[in-house]
Amino acid sequence: VQLQASGGGLVQAGDSLRLSCAASGRTFSAYAIGWFRQAPGKEREFVTAVNWSGSRIYYADSVKGRFTISRDNAKNTVYLQMNSLKPEDTAVYFCAADGYRYLSGNYYDEKEYDYWGQGTLVTVSS
């Protein structure tokens, strides 16, 4: 499966942004999808993940209550709605697909994911 992340941009603190992760190739519903981010000079970190049906969702504590992941299998797309953005949310955001569509217990580990998109930059100014 090929993944294409989009929707990044420059916003001010407190603003909202919606990222999209569009998939092509194999059946989209065969995959769980995760979002990760990498801030300048830092390691890539887990943000959120959703199983194939949307019935299981996990968030990092740093984004819980502000970010919402959703998926539309008919459109082969996963969305990341980001509200109340903070400067510390500034990062390149990546979506990734896990061939174990039910989400493994290690959903927060990037090694669990088999396919990665190219990333989209989100910059939040103070």
Side-chain angles (χ1 to χ4, degrees):
V1 65
Q2 293 80 44
L3 303 174
Q4 178 80 29
S6 63
L10 173 62
V11 297
Q12 293 187 332
D15 285 351
S16 298
L17 206 56
R18 189 176 80 159
L19 305 184
S20 298
C21 176
S24 60
R26 295 188 62 185
T27 305
F28 184 59
S29 61
Y31 298 91
I33 300 294
W35 283 97
F36 290 76
R37 67 186 182 185
Q38 187 167 21
K42 295 187 177 181
E43 293 187 351
R44 192 156 54 186
E45 64 175 7
F46 169 77
V47 176
T48 180
V50 60
N51 72 337
W52 72 278
S53 66
S55 62
R56 289 181 67 194
I57 292 174
Y58 299 97
Y59 295 100
D61 287 344
S62 59
V63 305
K64 203 172 292 184
R66 300 187 298 120
F67 290 14
T68 303
I69 189 172
S70 61
R71 67 187 295 161
D72 185 339
N73 287 340
K75 295 183 178 180
N76 289 356
T77 303
V78 168
Y79 303 99
L80 180 61
Q81 178 66 43
M82 306 186 295
N83 298 330
S84 302
L85 282 161
K86 304 175 181 180
E88 51 263 45
D89 295 318
T90 295
V92 177
Y93 284 71
F94 300 88
C95 59
D98 180 358
Y100 184 69
R101 65 178 188 165
Y102 301 102
L103 270 184
S104 75
N106 294 328
Y107 58 85
Y108 50 84
D109 187 343
E110 60 181 79
K111 299 184 186 67
E112 288 294 314
Y113 296 83
D114 307 299
Y115 305 95
W116 290 80
Q118 86 292 353
T120 185
L121 176 62
V122 173
T123 303
V124 184
S125 64
S126 58

